[in-house]
Each structure stands twice: as C-alpha cells, then as structure tokens.
Coordinates of all heavy atoms in Angstrom, one line a residue:
I27 N 85.0 92.3 177.8 CA 85.7 93.2 177.1 C 84.7 94.3 176.6 O 83.7 94.1 176.1 CB 86.3 92.6 175.8 CG1 87.4 91.5 176.3 CG2 86.9 93.6 174.9 CD1 88.7 92.2 176.7
R28 N 85.2 95.6 176.9 CA 84.4 96.8 176.4 C 85.3 97.5 175.4 O 86.5 97.3 175.3 CB 84.1 97.7 177.6 CG 83.4 97.0 178.7 CD 81.9 97.2 178.7 NE 81.5 98.5 178.3 CZ 80.8 99.2 179.1 NH1 80.5 98.9 180.3 NH2 80.3 100.5 178.7
A29 N 84.7 98.4 174.6 CA 85.5 99.1 173.7 C 85.0 100.6 173.6 O 83.8 100.9 173.9 CB 85.4 98.5 172.3
V30 N 85.9 101.5 173.2 CA 85.5 102.9 173.0 C 86.3 103.4 171.9 O 87.4 103.0 171.6 CB 85.8 103.8 174.3 CG1 87.2 103.8 174.7 CG2 85.3 105.2 174.1
V31 N 85.7 104.3 171.1 CA 86.4 104.9 169.9 C 86.0 106.4 170.0 O 84.8 106.8 170.3 CB 86.0 104.3 168.6 CG1 84.5 104.4 168.3 CG2 86.9 104.9 167.4
Y32 N 87.0 107.3 169.7 CA 86.7 108.7 169.8 C 87.5 109.4 168.8 O 88.5 108.9 168.3 CB 87.0 109.4 171.2 CG 88.5 109.3 171.6 CD1 89.3 110.4 171.2 CD2 89.1 108.3 172.2 CE1 90.6 110.5 171.5 CE2 90.4 108.3 172.5 CZ 91.2 109.4 172.1 OH 92.5 109.4 172.3
T33 N 87.2 110.6 168.5 CA 88.1 111.5 167.7 C 88.4 112.8 168.5 O 87.6 113.1 169.4 CB 87.4 112.0 166.3 OG1 86.3 112.8 166.6 CG2 87.0 110.8 165.6
S34 N 89.5 113.4 168.3 CA 89.8 114.7 169.0 C 90.8 115.5 168.1 O 91.3 115.0 167.1 CB 90.5 114.4 170.3 OG 91.7 113.7 170.2
E35 N 90.9 116.8 168.6 CA 91.8 117.7 167.9 C 93.1 117.9 168.7 O 93.0 118.1 169.9 CB 91.2 119.1 167.8 CG 89.8 119.1 167.2 CD 89.8 119.5 165.7 OE1 90.8 120.1 165.3 OE2 88.9 119.1 165.0
A36 N 94.2 117.7 168.0 CA 95.5 117.9 168.7 C 95.7 119.3 169.1 O 95.3 120.2 168.4 CB 96.6 117.4 167.7
A37 N 96.4 119.4 170.3 CA 96.8 120.8 170.7 C 97.8 121.4 169.7 O 98.5 120.6 169.0 CB 97.4 120.7 172.1
A38 N 97.9 122.7 169.7 CA 98.7 123.3 168.6 C 100.1 122.8 168.7 O 100.7 122.7 167.5 CB 98.7 124.8 168.9
D39 N 100.8 122.6 169.8 CA 102.2 122.2 169.8 C 102.4 120.8 169.3 O 103.4 120.5 168.7 CB 102.8 122.4 171.2 CG 102.1 121.6 172.3 OD1 100.9 121.3 172.1 OD2 102.7 121.1 173.3
I40 N 101.4 120.0 169.5 CA 101.4 118.6 169.0 C 101.2 118.7 167.4 O 102.0 118.0 166.7 CB 100.3 117.7 169.6 CG1 100.4 117.6 171.1 CG2 100.3 116.3 168.9 CD1 101.5 116.7 171.5
A41 N 100.2 119.5 167.0 CA 100.0 119.6 165.6 C 101.2 120.1 164.8 O 101.5 119.7 163.7 CB 98.8 120.4 165.3
A42 N 102.0 121.0 165.5 CA 103.1 121.6 164.9 C 104.3 120.6 164.8 O 105.2 120.8 164.0 CB 103.5 122.9 165.6
S43 N 104.4 119.6 165.7 CA 105.5 118.7 165.8 C 105.5 117.7 164.6 O 104.5 117.4 164.1 CB 105.6 118.0 167.1 OG 104.7 117.0 167.1
R44 N 106.7 117.3 164.2 CA 106.7 116.3 163.1 C 106.2 114.9 163.5 O 106.4 114.5 164.6 CB 108.2 116.1 162.7 CG 108.7 117.3 162.0 CD 110.2 116.9 161.5 NE 110.8 118.0 160.9 CZ 110.5 118.4 159.6 NH1 109.7 117.8 158.9 NH2 111.2 119.4 159.1
L45 N 105.5 114.3 162.6 CA 105.0 113.0 162.9 C 106.2 112.0 163.1 O 107.2 112.0 162.4 CB 104.2 112.4 161.6 CG 102.9 113.1 161.3 CD1 102.3 112.5 160.1 CD2 102.0 113.1 162.5
G46 N 106.0 111.2 164.2 CA 107.0 110.1 164.4 C 108.4 110.7 164.9 O 109.3 109.9 165.0
Q47 N 108.4 111.9 165.2 CA 109.7 112.5 165.7 C 110.2 111.8 167.0 O 109.5 111.8 168.0 CB 109.4 114.0 166.0 CG 110.6 114.8 166.3 CD 110.2 116.3 166.7 OE1 109.2 116.5 167.3 NE2 111.0 117.2 166.3
T48 N 111.3 111.2 167.0 CA 111.9 110.6 168.1 C 112.1 111.6 169.2 O 112.7 112.6 169.0 CB 113.2 109.8 167.8 OG1 112.9 109.0 166.6 CG2 113.6 108.9 168.9
G49 N 111.7 111.2 170.4 CA 111.9 112.1 171.6 C 110.9 113.3 171.6 O 111.0 114.1 172.5
G50 N 110.0 113.4 170.6 CA 109.1 114.5 170.6 C 107.9 114.3 171.6 O 107.8 113.2 172.2
R51 N 107.1 115.2 171.7 CA 106.0 115.2 172.6 C 105.0 114.1 172.3 O 104.6 113.3 173.2 CB 105.3 116.6 172.5 CG 104.1 116.8 173.4 CD 104.5 117.6 174.6 NE 103.3 117.7 175.5 CZ 102.4 118.5 175.3 NH1 102.4 119.4 174.4 NH2 101.3 118.5 176.2
L52 N 104.8 113.9 171.0 CA 103.9 112.8 170.6 C 104.4 111.4 171.0 O 103.7 110.6 171.5 CB 103.6 112.9 169.1 CG 102.5 111.9 168.5 CD1 101.2 112.2 169.2 CD2 102.4 112.2 167.0
C53 N 105.7 111.2 170.7 CA 106.4 109.9 171.2 C 106.2 109.7 172.7 O 106.0 108.6 173.1 CB 107.9 110.0 170.8 SG 108.2 109.3 169.3
A54 N 106.4 110.8 173.5 CA 106.2 110.7 174.9 C 104.8 110.3 175.3 O 104.7 109.4 176.2 CB 106.7 112.0 175.6
I55 N 103.9 110.8 174.7 CA 102.5 110.5 174.9 C 102.2 109.0 174.6 O 101.6 108.3 175.4 CB 101.5 111.4 174.1 CG1 101.6 112.8 174.7 CG2 100.1 110.8 174.2 CD1 100.8 113.8 173.9
V56 N 102.7 108.6 173.4 CA 102.4 107.2 173.0 C 103.1 106.2 173.9 O 102.6 105.2 174.3 CB 102.9 107.1 171.5 CG1 102.9 105.6 171.1 CG2 102.0 107.8 170.6
D57 N 104.4 106.5 174.3 CA 105.1 105.7 175.2 C 104.4 105.5 176.6 O 104.2 104.4 177.1 CB 106.5 106.2 175.5 CG 107.5 105.9 174.3 OD1 107.0 105.3 173.4 OD2 108.6 106.5 174.3
D58 N 104.0 106.7 177.1 CA 103.3 106.7 178.4 C 101.9 105.9 178.3 O 101.6 105.1 179.1 CB 103.0 108.2 178.8 CG 102.3 108.3 180.1 OD1 103.0 108.0 181.1 OD2 101.2 108.7 180.2
A59 N 101.2 106.2 177.2 CA 99.9 105.5 177.0 C 100.1 104.0 176.9 O 99.4 103.2 177.5 CB 99.2 106.0 175.8
A60 N 101.1 103.6 176.1 CA 101.4 102.2 175.9 C 101.7 101.4 177.1 O 101.2 100.3 177.4 CB 102.4 102.0 174.8
R61 N 102.5 102.1 177.9 CA 103.0 101.5 179.2 C 101.8 101.3 180.2 O 101.5 100.3 180.7 CB 104.0 102.4 179.9 CG 104.8 101.7 181.0 CD 105.9 102.7 181.5 NE 106.7 103.3 180.5 CZ 106.7 104.6 180.3 NH1 105.9 105.4 181.0 NH2 107.4 105.2 179.3
F62 N 100.9 102.4 180.2 CA 99.7 102.3 181.1 C 98.8 101.2 180.6 O 98.3 100.3 181.3 CB 99.0 103.6 181.2 CG 97.8 103.5 182.2 CD1 98.0 103.8 183.5 CD2 96.6 103.1 181.8 CE1 97.0 103.7 184.4 CE2 95.6 102.9 182.6 CZ 95.8 103.2 184.0
N63 N 98.5 101.2 179.3 CA 97.5 100.2 178.7 C 98.0 98.8 178.9 O 97.1 98.0 179.2 CB 97.4 100.6 177.2 CG 96.7 101.9 176.9 OD1 96.3 102.6 177.8 ND2 96.5 102.2 175.7
R64 N 99.3 98.6 178.8 CA 99.8 97.2 179.0 C 99.5 96.7 180.4 O 98.9 95.6 180.6 CB 101.3 97.2 178.7 CG 101.8 95.9 178.1 CD 103.2 96.0 177.6 NE 104.0 97.1 178.1 CZ 104.5 98.1 177.4 NH1 104.3 98.2 176.1 NH2 105.3 99.0 177.9
D65 N 99.6 97.6 181.3 CA 99.4 97.2 182.7 C 97.9 97.0 183.0 O 97.4 96.3 183.9 CB 100.0 98.2 183.7 CG 101.5 98.2 183.7 OD1 102.1 97.2 183.2 OD2 102.0 99.2 184.2
A66 N 97.1 97.8 182.3 CA 95.6 97.7 182.5 C 95.0 96.7 181.6 O 93.7 96.5 181.7 CB 95.1 99.2 182.2
G67 N 95.7 96.0 180.8 CA 95.1 95.0 179.9 C 94.3 95.6 178.7 O 93.4 95.0 178.1
V68 N 94.7 96.8 178.3 CA 94.0 97.6 177.3 C 94.8 97.6 176.1 O 96.1 97.7 176.1 CB 93.7 99.0 177.7 CG1 93.2 99.9 176.6 CG2 92.7 99.1 178.9
T69 N 94.1 97.4 174.9 CA 94.9 97.5 173.6 C 94.0 98.3 172.7 O 93.0 98.7 173.0 CB 95.3 96.1 173.1 OG1 96.1 96.2 171.9 CG2 93.9 95.4 172.7
G70 N 94.6 98.5 171.4 CA 93.8 99.3 170.5 C 94.7 99.9 169.4 O 95.8 99.4 169.2
V71 N 94.2 101.0 168.8 CA 95.0 101.7 167.7 C 94.8 103.1 167.9 O 93.7 103.6 168.2 CB 94.6 101.1 166.4 CG1 93.2 101.4 166.0 CG2 95.6 101.7 165.3
L72 N 95.9 103.9 167.6 CA 95.8 105.4 167.7 C 96.3 105.9 166.3 O 97.4 105.6 165.8 CB 96.8 106.0 168.7 CG 96.9 107.5 168.8 CD1 95.5 108.1 169.2 CD2 98.0 107.9 169.8
L73 N 95.4 106.7 165.6 CA 95.7 107.3 164.3 C 95.8 108.7 164.5 O 95.1 109.3 165.3 CB 94.6 107.0 163.3 CG 94.2 105.4 163.1 CD1 93.1 105.3 162.1 CD2 95.4 104.6 162.7
F74 N 96.8 109.4 163.7 CA 97.0 110.8 163.8 C 97.3 111.3 162.4 O 98.2 110.7 161.7 CB 98.2 111.0 164.8 CG 98.5 112.5 165.0 CD1 97.6 113.4 165.3 CD2 99.8 112.9 164.8 CE1 97.9 114.8 165.5 CE2 100.2 114.3 165.0 CZ 99.2 115.2 165.3
D75 N 96.6 112.4 161.9 CA 96.8 112.8 160.6 C 97.6 114.1 160.6 O 97.7 114.8 159.5 CB 95.5 113.0 159.8 CG 94.7 114.1 160.3 OD1 95.0 114.7 161.3 OD2 93.6 114.3 159.7
G76 N 98.1 114.5 161.7 CA 98.9 115.7 161.8 C 98.0 116.8 162.5 O 98.5 117.9 162.9
A77 N 96.7 116.6 162.6 CA 95.8 117.6 163.2 C 94.8 116.9 164.1 O 94.4 117.4 165.2 CB 95.1 118.4 162.2
R78 N 94.4 115.7 163.8 CA 93.3 115.0 164.5 C 93.7 113.6 164.9 O 94.5 113.0 164.1 CB 92.0 115.0 163.7 CG 91.3 116.3 163.5 CD 90.4 116.3 162.3 NE 91.2 115.9 161.1 CZ 90.7 115.7 159.9 NH1 89.4 115.8 159.7 NH2 91.4 115.3 158.8
F79 N 93.2 113.1 166.0 CA 93.4 111.8 166.5 C 92.1 111.0 166.3 O 91.0 111.5 166.4 CB 93.7 111.8 168.0 CG 95.0 112.4 168.3 CD1 95.1 113.6 169.0 CD2 96.2 111.7 168.1 CE1 96.3 114.1 169.3 CE2 97.4 112.2 168.5 CZ 97.5 113.5 169.0
V80 N 92.2 109.7 166.0 CA 91.2 108.7 166.2 C 91.8 107.6 167.0 O 92.9 107.1 166.6 CB 90.7 108.1 164.8 CG1 89.7 107.0 165.1 CG2 90.1 109.2 163.9
Q81 N 91.2 107.2 168.1 CA 91.7 106.1 168.9 C 90.6 105.1 169.1 O 89.5 105.5 169.5 CB 92.3 106.6 170.2 CG 93.0 105.5 170.9 CD 93.7 105.9 172.2 OE1 93.5 107.0 172.7 NE2 94.7 105.2 172.7
Y82 N 90.9 103.9 168.9 CA 90.1 102.7 169.3 C 90.8 102.0 170.5 O 92.0 101.7 170.4 CB 89.9 101.8 168.1 CG 89.2 100.4 168.6 CD1 87.8 100.4 168.6 CD2 90.0 99.3 168.8 CE1 87.2 99.2 169.1 CE2 89.3 98.2 169.3 CZ 88.0 98.1 169.4 OH 87.3 97.0 169.8
M83 N 90.1 101.8 171.6 CA 90.7 101.1 172.7 C 89.7 100.0 173.2 O 88.5 100.2 173.2 CB 90.8 102.1 173.9 CG 91.4 103.4 173.5 SD 91.1 104.6 174.8 CE 92.3 104.1 176.0
E84 N 90.2 98.9 173.6 CA 89.4 97.8 174.2 C 90.1 97.2 175.3 O 91.4 97.1 175.4 CB 89.0 96.8 173.1 CG 90.2 96.0 172.5 CD 89.8 94.9 171.5 OE1 88.7 95.1 170.8 OE2 90.5 93.9 171.5
G85 N 89.3 96.6 176.2 CA 89.9 95.9 177.4 C 88.9 95.7 178.4 O 87.6 95.9 178.2
P86 N 89.2 95.1 179.6 CA 88.3 94.9 180.6 C 87.7 96.2 181.1 O 88.4 97.3 181.1 CB 89.2 94.2 181.7 CG 90.6 94.5 181.4 CD 90.6 94.7 179.9
D87 N 86.5 96.2 181.7 CA 85.8 97.4 182.0 C 86.6 98.3 182.9 O 86.7 99.5 182.7 CB 84.5 97.0 182.7 CG 83.5 98.1 182.7 OD1 83.5 99.0 181.8 OD2 82.7 98.2 183.6
D88 N 87.2 97.8 184.0 CA 87.9 98.6 185.0 C 89.1 99.2 184.3 O 89.4 100.4 184.5 CB 88.3 97.8 186.2 CG 89.0 96.5 185.9 OD1 89.1 96.1 184.7 OD2 89.6 95.9 186.9
G89 N 89.9 98.5 183.6 CA 91.2 99.0 183.0 C 90.8 100.1 181.9 O 91.4 101.1 181.8
L90 N 89.8 99.7 181.1 CA 89.4 100.6 180.1 C 88.9 102.0 180.6 O 89.2 103.1 180.2 CB 88.3 100.1 179.2 CG 87.9 100.9 177.9 CD1 89.1 101.0 177.0 CD2 86.8 100.2 177.3
Q91 N 88.2 101.9 181.8 CA 87.7 103.2 182.3 C 88.8 104.1 182.8 O 88.8 105.3 182.6 CB 86.8 102.9 183.6 CG 85.3 102.6 183.1 CD 84.4 102.5 184.4 OE1 84.6 103.1 185.4 NE2 83.4 101.6 184.2
V92 N 89.8 103.5 183.5 CA 90.9 104.3 183.9 C 91.7 104.9 182.7 O 92.0 106.1 182.7 CB 91.9 103.5 184.8 CG1 93.0 104.4 185.3 CG2 91.1 102.9 186.0
A93 N 92.0 104.0 181.7 CA 92.7 104.5 180.5 C 92.0 105.6 179.8 O 92.5 106.7 179.4 CB 93.0 103.3 179.6
Y94 N 90.6 105.5 179.7 CA 89.8 106.5 179.0 C 89.8 107.7 179.8 O 89.8 108.9 179.2 CB 88.5 105.9 178.6 CG 87.7 106.9 177.7 CD1 88.2 107.3 176.5 CD2 86.4 107.3 178.1 CE1 87.5 108.2 175.7 CE2 85.7 108.1 177.3 CZ 86.2 108.7 176.1 OH 85.6 109.5 175.2
S95 N 89.8 107.6 181.1 CA 89.7 108.9 182.0 C 91.1 109.6 181.8 O 91.1 110.9 181.9 CB 89.4 108.5 183.4 OG 90.4 107.8 184.0
R96 N 92.1 108.9 181.5 CA 93.4 109.5 181.3 C 93.4 110.3 180.0 O 93.9 111.3 179.8 CB 94.6 108.5 181.3 CG 95.0 108.1 182.7 CD 95.8 106.8 182.7 NE 96.9 106.9 181.8 CZ 98.1 107.3 182.0 NH1 98.4 107.6 183.3 NH2 99.0 107.3 181.1
V97 N 92.7 109.6 179.0 CA 92.6 110.3 177.7 C 91.8 111.6 177.8 O 92.2 112.6 177.3 CB 91.8 109.3 176.7 CG1 91.3 110.1 175.5 CG2 92.7 108.2 176.3
L98 N 90.7 111.5 178.6 CA 89.8 112.7 178.8 C 90.6 113.8 179.5 O 90.3 115.0 179.3 CB 88.5 112.3 179.6 CG 87.6 111.4 178.8 CD1 86.4 111.0 179.7 CD2 87.0 112.1 177.5
G99 N 91.5 113.4 180.4 CA 92.2 114.4 181.2 C 93.4 115.0 180.5 O 94.0 115.9 181.1
A100 N 93.8 114.5 179.4 CA 95.1 114.9 178.7 C 94.8 116.2 178.0 O 93.8 116.5 177.3 CB 95.5 113.9 177.6
S101 N 95.7 117.2 178.3 CA 95.6 118.5 177.7 C 96.2 118.6 176.3 O 96.1 119.7 175.6 CB 96.3 119.6 178.6 OG 97.7 119.2 178.7
S102 N 96.7 117.5 175.8 CA 97.4 117.6 174.4 C 96.4 117.5 173.3 O 96.7 117.5 172.2 CB 98.4 116.3 174.3 OG 99.3 116.4 175.4
H103 N 95.1 117.3 173.7 CA 94.0 117.3 172.7 C 92.8 117.8 173.3 O 92.7 117.9 174.6 CB 93.9 115.9 172.1 CG 93.5 114.8 173.0 ND1 93.1 113.5 172.6 CD2 93.4 114.8 174.4 CE1 92.8 112.8 173.6 NE2 93.0 113.5 174.7
S104 N 91.8 118.0 172.5 CA 90.5 118.5 173.0 C 89.3 118.1 172.1 O 89.6 117.6 171.0 CB 90.5 120.0 173.2 OG 90.7 120.6 171.9
G105 N 88.2 118.3 172.6 CA 87.0 118.0 171.7 C 86.7 116.5 171.6 O 85.9 116.2 170.6
Ligands
FMN21 C1 95.8 111.3 171.7 C2 96.0 110.7 173.0 C3 95.8 109.4 173.3 C4 96.0 108.9 174.6 N1 95.8 107.5 174.8 C5 96.0 107.1 176.0 C6 95.8 105.7 176.2 O1 95.5 104.9 175.4 N2 96.0 105.2 177.5 C7 96.3 106.1 178.6 O2 96.4 105.6 179.7 N3 96.6 107.3 178.3 C8 96.4 107.8 177.1 N4 96.7 109.2 176.9 C9 97.1 110.0 178.0 C10 98.7 110.1 177.9 O3 99.3 108.8 178.1 C11 99.3 111.1 178.9 O4 98.9 110.7 180.3 C12 98.8 112.5 178.8 O5 98.8 112.9 177.4 C13 99.6 113.5 179.6 O6 99.0 114.6 179.9 P1 99.0 116.0 178.8 O7 98.5 115.6 177.5 O8 98.1 116.9 179.6 O9 100.5 116.3 178.8 C14 96.5 109.7 175.7 C15 96.6 111.1 175.4 C16 96.4 111.6 174.1 C17 96.7 113.1 173.9

C-alpha cells in the first residue's frame, strides 16, 4: 500500500459552484473519481473549502499511480 496527499486550487467554475450541488460539476468529478478508485483498489478522502482541495489517497502502487495521474491531468484544478 502506497499513499499520496496533495493540495490544489479549484478552477474558477468549480470554486463558483455551490458545495454539494446535486448534478453539479463537483458532483460529477467525485462520482467519476469514486468509480475509478473503486476499480483500482484506491481509497482516501477529498476535502474542499470552496476554493482549495486536499486529497489523501492510498492503495496498491499500480492503481494509485493511474488514479494520481488522472488527478494530475484534471483541468478542474491546478497547482
Ligand atoms: C479535486 C480532484 C480530485 C480527483 N480525484 C480523483 C481520484 O481520486 N481518482 C481518479 O481516478 N480521478 C480523480 N480526479 C479526476 C476526475 O475523476 C476526472 O477524471 C477529471 O476531473 C475530469 O477531467 P477535467 O477536470 O479536466 O474535467 C480528480 C479530479 C479533481 C479535480
């Protein structure tokens, strides 16, 4: 089991959207991420304060690498 933790800044349209808004962009990201993580054996926690993310992820090396590369490639946040 490996783990990674990072912080990032939400893109402007995410930051402007309401927290927990059903059907919103943030919900779609979380659903997509949770589905992928389940298949990859990855778990963790995602925190959002309306402007910044903190995510802790853990899982087997191969699954975590793919999940984290998806995080790095997402345009919904930066930094
Ligand atoms: C804050 C944040 C956390 C994410 N966490 C995960 C994750 O845990 N696992 C994963 O496979 N993808 C994760 N993603 C990627 C999303 O599931 C999705 O593929 C991506 O946001 C879609 O691309 P876009 O942001 O460019 O629209 C994350 C994306 C963001 C913005």
Side-chain angles (χ1 to χ4, degrees):
I27 295 283
R28 307 265 317 242
V30 62
V31 62
Y32 70 85
T33 66
S34 64
E35 305 265 337
D39 60 330
I40 299 282
S43 73
R44 286 186 183 284
L45 293 180
Q47 187 185 38
T48 309
R51 185 99 186 275
L52 190 55
C53 267
I55 289 171
V56 169
D57 285 351
D58 183 67
R61 197 175 315 111
F62 183 90
N63 289 359
R64 216 164 19 243
D65 292 344
V68 170
T69 188
V71 61
L72 176 66
L73 306 179
F74 182 52
D75 71 355
R78 293 160 300 176
F79 294 104
V80 175
Q81 187 174 20
Y82 170 84
M83 313 164 74
E84 66 175 28
D87 199 31
D88 53 349
L90 186 63
Q91 273 188 34
V92 182
Y94 189 52
S95 68
R96 284 164 49 90
V97 167
L98 292 175
S101 61
S102 307
H103 62 170
S104 61

